[in-house]
Amino acid sequence: MYADGVVRSSALDRPIGSVAARTGPKFEALGVRTAGDLLRYYPRRYADPSRLTDIAGLEIDEKASVVAEVRSSSGVLRSRSSGKLRVEAQVTDGRSVLHLAFFAQREGMAKKFERDLRPGRRGLFTGKVGWFNGRAQLANPAVVWFDADDEDGVVEHAERPLPVYPASGQLDSEKIAATVQVVLGPLREGDVPDPVPAQVRAARDLGELLPALRRLHRPETEQDWVQAQRRQRYEEAFVLQAELARRRARAAAQPAVARPRVAGGLLDAFDQRLPFELTTGQREVGARIADEIAQPVPMQRLLQGEVGSGKTVVALRAMLQVVDAGGQAALLAPTEVLAAQHARSLRALLGDLAEGGMLGGADQGTRVALLTGSVTGAARRQALLDAASGAAGIVVGTHALLEKTVQFAELGLVVVDEQHRFGVEQRDRLRAKASAQPHLLAMTATPIPRTVAMTVFGDLETSVLSELPAGRSPITSFVVPADRPAWLARTWSRVREEVDKGGRAYVVCPRITGDDADGADLVADEPATLGEAGTAPRRPPSAVLEVVEELRALPELAGLEIGVLHGRLAAEDKDRALAQFASGAVPVLVSTTVVEVGVDVPEATAMVILDADLFGVSQLHQLRGRVGRGTAPGVCLLVSGAREGSPGHQRLTTVAETLDGFALAAFDLEQRREGDVLGASQSGVASSLRLLRVTRDADLIEQARADARAVVEQDPELESHPALRDAIDVLLAGEREEFLDRA
């Protein structure tokens, strides 16, 4: 009996060890801890015994399940050096051949392998594709034969799709399937609580949960598992959307202080001195934000903006409206470089309006305070005092803003930049510093496809700035082959030309030093296919501290000052490096991806990205956005050793061909693992979306969103839907809550 008086099924709460005593720890290593977890451990795919696998398409180091026919076998072989026994065989799909090797401890086991591997037999062979003696091989693969000795087995394997589960070295797909059947067998209607309410199931023609699970794990036909998968994809979307709708309803139920626009205030003064025209998008989004801030209901809005689209100005105008209405605004940035850049940009935009109470400051001015971990001593004490007293209408900072010592006089608006870098708890800790629920404006420069926004940011209204301000120069991008010396020489000559014209040049590297184990967030290229196996490994990725010395020795860059910027530098050294770069004293800056967001040097016209194929599409687009921010056009040179036609080369070609961030984000979503796109890998929940795919299931997500909102409107805390509440609790277990705030 639970606290709400509802009796839950205990059948699914059984520890996996009570179901499979010997293999319990092996299941736990896969994240399966209960019988219920096992039922949600869905097959990765389904093998069709009537169709042979295309062996030529296998990839080295891939965990593969191959339906193939035995062509030949060696008999029992004994190693001359170690005396170990083995049996080798070749299996075929009719065109290509894959080698198998079975190693045995005892003669009896080796003889069994020899008997099993009779030419003409067909089976499912599962293992990791290796490379041995110049050929692809499966060593000790798990085998399911399709001509089992018992007649029932013959019928079963000949007529039914065979579930293939994500397996491990200790637990193969066949054992997982057998254990699933042990759990499924005795279950009856009512044993499996369904998180999707009955009225929603009826409206969407989804059917009951238990029959769907049976069709997933033991399908009779292909149609069985196809229908069951769709039902479970909908369930995943519905549970996630229900939690987002519940969060949205909770926030909307908390009163906020209305911050209407005040005539003749800071915002009017700022608008009057703007040296440029706002774009149509900036005006429209700004008007909507102004209306929402003026309401006694907390605004919850995500502002997406293309690189250089002017999000900062939109956010600043919202902050000034709040300050005019007696409140304060806090701008939370993920890094000290970005926070300091924001503070400088805001002060530059405001001029004497940011010098309230100071000599030469405007009469109606306010202050912009900066609080980061490296702001210490008198500067920190003054910033804390300005925030607590209200003298600073705008407080910019990093995670340091979340510390208990930071207090606000009247926090009315929280602006979170690069929203995906912060989790729920961090965002809420800052909002908790307000006496009433503050308005929230989240921003991201990473274009997010609509399906991802619905899935991850469903509790926020979304606005998009896609139009670039007038006068913003275009950026041209080129892919430079790293193995062509003449092309590389021309790259550095181009850098010199840009500097000689008064420009600045970034050179971006994946790592800081040659022995860096981590460096930037690198994208591992896809493994070689069988036809490409045995290719020579690439050289180590470029490192800042090595590259800077190489560039200083180049004749093309002779006489130029070349600086360094990376995350391990002290804050004052970072600021100094950026200041020298911006002034032109050091016109070439070798850096890691620390310059990816927020660094704004209008004179920067060139960027060279070394080992560019190691970076993701969105990251390349963000990096490229650091150039061409002034009146002169920008150029981005993507240096790469990726072979033509490889996934890495395809990424670079796509980036070079388009400046449309949303088109690139959609391409990225198609190419990458889904969990990475949603940020799940960072928060340890790659399995949070098991079947749902945002690239494929947009319509289904839209349906689930509408249905979930309707349910939550009727029952905000889901008191009448305990199974749905339980499913949400499972979704948010441990670190999974962070998943909802990461794109």
Side-chain angles (χ1 to χ4, degrees):
M1 182 78 71
Y2 281 58
D4 56 11
V6 178
V7 177
R8 308 288 202 275
S9 168
S10 60
L12 302 187
D13 295 333
R14 294 168 56 196
I16 192 65
S18 69
V19 179
R22 294 179 61 185
T23 54
K26 298 175 183 178
F27 275 105
E28 290 179 2
L30 296 175
V32 176
R33 293 175 174 78
T34 66
D37 290 342
L38 184 59
L39 294 187
R40 304 284 184 169
Y41 195 78
Y42 302 130
R44 172 181 291 158
R45 66 181 183 88
Y46 296 84
D48 184 345
S50 67
R51 300 176 188 170
L52 296 171
T53 302
D54 181 8
I55 290 176
L58 297 178
E59 296 172 344
I60 302 301
D61 291 332
E62 174 193 43
K63 187 70 177 290
S65 295
V66 179
V67 177
E69 186 175 291
V70 178
R71 189 173 80 169
S72 64
S73 128
S74 67
V76 179
L77 303 174
R78 186 182 296 273
S79 170
R80 293 179 180 177
S81 56
S82 65
K84 291 182 179 180
L85 302 171
R86 73 183 187 280
V87 177
E88 296 180 356
Q90 293 181 333
V91 295
T92 180
D93 60 5
R95 297 178 302 277
S96 303
V97 172
L98 180 64
H99 294 263
L100 311 179
F102 295 86
F103 298 92
Q105 299 292 328
R106 302 180 306 277
E107 182 114 12
M109 182 182 296
K111 288 291 185 182
K112 184 179 185 308
F113 288 146
E114 183 180 30
R115 289 192 302 272
D116 286 343
L117 292 164
R118 298 191 303 272
R121 293 193 78 186
R122 178 175 293 189
L124 175 71
F125 305 90
T126 301
K128 188 175 183 180
V129 183
W131 188 258
F132 182 72
N133 281 346
R135 63 192 187 188
Q137 173 182 280
L138 293 182
N140 280 335
V143 183
V144 177
W145 296 108
F146 295 146
D147 59 345
D149 292 336
D150 60 289
E151 289 300 319
D152 290 340
V154 172
V155 174
E156 174 181 341
H157 290 309
E159 296 183 354
R160 293 175 51 184
L162 184 68
V164 179
Y165 293 86
S168 67
Q170 292 74 42
L171 203 58
D172 61 40
S173 178
E174 189 175 11
K175 182 61 178 176
I176 295 171
T179 310
V180 168
Q181 298 311 316
V182 170
V183 173
L184 265 180
L187 292 178
R188 298 293 178 265
E189 186 177 350
D191 287 343
V192 184
D194 197 332
V196 182
Q199 69 271 25
V200 176
R201 296 199 304 270
R204 298 295 181 189
D205 192 26
L206 294 174
E208 303 286 339
L209 175 56
L210 181 56
L213 291 173
R214 292 193 190 283
R215 290 195 298 271
L216 271 176
H217 292 292
R218 197 177 178 87
E220 298 289 340
T221 65
E222 180 178 345
Q223 189 66 15
D224 277 351
W225 64 260
V226 169
Q227 291 179 345
Q229 275 195 351
R230 185 186 184 283
R231 196 261 184 218
Q232 294 311 98
R233 291 202 305 272
Y234 177 90
E235 179 186 296
E236 288 186 7
F238 180 81
V239 171
L240 181 56
Q241 292 298 330
E243 170 59 12
L244 292 170
R246 189 165 64 161
R247 290 181 178 208
R248 182 186 181 88
R250 285 172 177 169
Q254 298 183 42
V257 177
R259 308 286 180 180
R261 183 160 182 168
V262 176
L266 272 169
L267 180 52
D268 282 349
F270 175 72
D271 283 348
Q272 289 169 8
R273 62 175 66 184
L274 262 181
F276 51 83
E277 284 284 327
L278 295 175
T279 67
T280 301
Q282 286 175 316
R283 288 196 298 270
E284 291 176 352
V285 172
R288 174 162 295 198
I289 291 173
D291 289 343
E292 292 181 348
I293 290 174
Q295 304 301 316
V297 176
M299 176 183 72
Q300 298 181 92
R301 184 161 290 279
L302 172 67
L303 176 59
Q304 295 190 59
E306 274 282 19
V307 177
S309 60
K311 296 184 304 299
T312 302
V313 171
V314 172
L316 176 55
R317 295 183 73 248
M319 290 189 276
L320 293 178
Q321 178 173 325
V322 169
V323 174
D324 281 339
Q328 292 170 283
L331 197 166
L332 181 63
T335 66
E336 290 195 353
V337 168
L338 183 52
Q341 178 68 46
H342 273 312
R344 284 193 295 269
S345 297
L346 296 180
R347 288 167 181 157
L349 285 167
L350 289 170
D352 61 354
L353 295 176
E355 299 173 353
M358 302 168 66
L359 186 63
D363 291 340
Q364 76 270 49
T366 187
R367 296 182 192 172
V368 177
L370 175 64
L371 269 171
T372 66
S374 62
V375 175
T376 58
R380 180 177 180 80
R381 289 191 294 273
Q382 186 62 54
L384 290 171
L385 178 61
D386 286 348
S389 67
I394 300 173
V395 182
V396 182
T398 56
H399 296 76
L401 289 182
L402 309 178
E403 296 174 5
K404 292 181 179 179
T405 54
V406 179
Q407 301 296 324
F408 294 86
E410 182 68 20
L411 182 58
L413 172 65
V414 172
V415 180
V416 182
D417 196 17
E418 291 305 303
Q419 157 76 8
H420 59 288
R421 308 243 185 138
F422 295 97
V424 176
E425 182 182 352
Q426 294 166 321
R427 189 174 79 181
D428 288 348
R429 277 170 61 190
L430 182 54
R431 294 164 79 179
K433 292 179 180 289
S435 56
Q437 184 79 351
H439 301 283
L440 172 70
L441 178 63
M443 301 194 299
T444 177
T446 303
I448 304 170
R450 176 174 159 275
T451 50
V452 177
M454 279 195 304
T455 305
V456 182
F457 296 114
D459 58 335
L460 304 177
E461 294 293 342
T462 303
S463 294
V464 176
L465 287 176
S466 55
E467 180 184 2
L468 294 180
R472 183 60 58 86
S473 300
I475 305 171
T476 306
S477 302
F478 300 96
V479 179
V480 178
D483 59 353
R484 303 281 290 275
W487 287 58
L488 282 177
R490 175 60 188 141
T491 295
W492 304 121
S493 295
R494 182 64 187 273
V495 167
R496 182 59 183 252
E497 291 167 9
E498 292 297 321
V499 171
D500 288 346
K501 289 188 294 186
R504 318 279 188 273
Y506 297 101
V507 179
V508 179
C509 304
R511 302 187 299 169
I512 299 174
T513 64
D515 57 359
D516 247 351
D518 45 13
D521 294 330
L522 303 183
V523 174
D525 216 346
E526 295 183 12
T529 62
L530 295 189
E532 299 160 344
T535 54
R538 64 181 296 155
R539 60 170 179 74
S542 302
V544 168
L545 298 185
E546 295 174 353
V547 168
V548 69
E549 296 304 325
E550 294 170 5
L551 297 187
R552 286 169 178 164
L554 288 178
E556 293 89 349
L557 303 182
L560 293 183
E561 290 293 328
I562 302 175
V564 167
L565 179 66
H566 56 76
R568 295 179 192 165
L569 292 177
E572 57 269 23
D573 293 331
K574 294 176 187 174
D575 289 341
R576 185 181 306 111
L578 280 173
Q580 291 176 335
F581 181 64
S583 70
V586 179
V588 179
L589 187 64
V590 183
S591 172
T592 58
T593 56
V594 71
V595 298
E596 180 182 348
V597 292
V599 176
D600 188 4
V601 179
E603 295 80 11
T605 57
M607 175 174 283
V608 179
I609 304 178
L610 300 178
D611 295 301
D613 56 291
L614 295 182
F615 298 100
V617 169
S618 294
Q619 194 170 34
L620 290 171
H621 185 56
Q622 290 294 309
L623 287 166
R624 176 173 60 182
R626 297 307 102 202
V627 300
R629 302 176 70 86
T631 56
V635 62
C636 180
L637 303 173
L638 305 167
V639 179
S640 166
R643 66 187 183 282
E644 192 168 345
S646 68
H649 191 271
Q650 186 181 9
R651 285 196 299 272
L652 299 185
T653 302
T654 303
V655 170
E657 289 175 349
T658 180
L659 292 173
D660 184 339
F662 286 92
L664 289 174
F667 170 81
D668 201 19
L669 195 60
E670 292 284 355
Q671 297 297 310
R672 292 171 58 190
R673 283 179 54 241
E674 196 98 6
D676 289 339
V677 176
L678 295 177
S681 62
Q682 287 95 323
S683 56
V685 288
S687 60
S688 287
L689 295 184
R690 298 178 185 275
L691 295 175
L692 189 70
R693 294 294 178 265
V694 296
T695 54
R696 176 193 61 204
D697 299 325
D699 291 344
L700 187 147
I701 293 169
E702 188 100 54
Q703 294 170 7
R705 188 184 197 192
D707 293 342
R709 286 188 172 186
V711 168
V712 170
E713 283 176 8
Q714 295 293 321
D715 185 3
E717 288 304 319
L718 304 176
E719 295 293 338
S720 302
H721 304 285
L724 177 54
R725 287 209 322 272
D726 288 349
I728 290 173
D729 290 343
V730 171
L731 175 71
L732 304 183
E735 295 181 344
R736 295 187 176 194
E737 191 163 2
E738 297 297 318
F739 167 78
L740 295 181
D741 257 23
R742 295 178 183 271

